[in-house]
Amino acid sequence: MPFDLHMNFDASLHQMVQATVTVLAVINPVVCGSIFLTLTPQLAPAPRRRAAAKAALSILIVMVTSALVGLKVLSIFDISLDVFRIVGGMIIAYMGFDMLSGRHTVVQAPPPDGDVNARGSLAPLIMFAAGPGTITAVVTLAAVHKVCRSLPSPQLWSAQE
């Protein structure tokens, strides 16, 4: 039988779990939660949920756009995937060492005194969660999974020989 559905499902499930763990490790939801709570201390629960949904949607848009367009941008600038992986790994390592040293802080200027409608910007949260490390991971995962999808399954390799 040239096509084994069970084997392809196991491989795709493994790839999905691997991609999910990688993205969650880079995004770091615990730190994102603390950044969000730091940026929205005065919001009531309902506006806080709306702000969280907007931030999550913004992060999702950045990640999906990176996955869909990232390889094309790399090819336009004639950057190989290997070079992108190395530089991206260096960026992720720098971010990790920065976090370990405790120098990573989120600072936001307080709103003007007379402005009661001033709301905090969630830009630091979005830049942290959908920053260079996340974009590198998403583009690399998209490239690896695109290559894996284009290869024939191992069952087909043995059937062709």
Side-chain angles (χ1 to χ4, degrees), residues 107-136:
V107 178
Q108 183 177 12
D113 290 334
D115 192 4
V116 292
N117 292 325
R119 290 195 180 169
S121 170
L122 295 176
L125 172 65
I126 295 168
M127 291 303 296
F128 176 81
T134 306
I135 292 172
T136 301

Side-chain angles (χ1 to χ4, degrees), residues 123-148:
L125 172 65
I126 295 168
M127 291 303 296
F128 176 81
T134 306
I135 292 172
T136 301
V138 167
V139 170
T140 303
L141 285 169
V144 167
H145 292 278
K146 182 177 180 180
V147 168
C148 289

Side-chain angles (χ1 to χ4, degrees), residues 28-88:
N28 198 345
V30 174
V31 173
C32 286
S34 65
I35 291 172
F36 179 75
L37 291 175
T38 302
L39 295 174
T40 60
Q42 303 298 329
L43 288 181
R48 185 176 280 177
R49 280 192 294 274
R50 281 194 297 276
K54 286 180 183 179
L57 183 61
S58 300
I59 293 165
L60 180 67
I61 289 170
V62 169
M63 290 173 49
V64 168
T65 303
S66 298
L68 296 176
V69 182
L71 289 176
K72 297 203 185 307
V73 171
L74 290 178
S75 67
I76 288 171
F77 291 109
D78 199 26
I79 300 171
S80 72
L81 188 59
D82 293 331
V83 170
F84 185 70
R85 284 181 183 170
I86 291 169
V87 173

Side-chain angles (χ1 to χ4, degrees), residues 5-24:
L5 180 62
H6 186 283
M7 183 172 176
N8 286 338
F9 178 74
D10 287 344
S12 65
L13 181 63
H14 174 73
Q15 291 173 348
M16 286 189 291
V17 169
Q18 179 186 20
T20 303
V21 168
T22 301
V23 170
L24 284 176

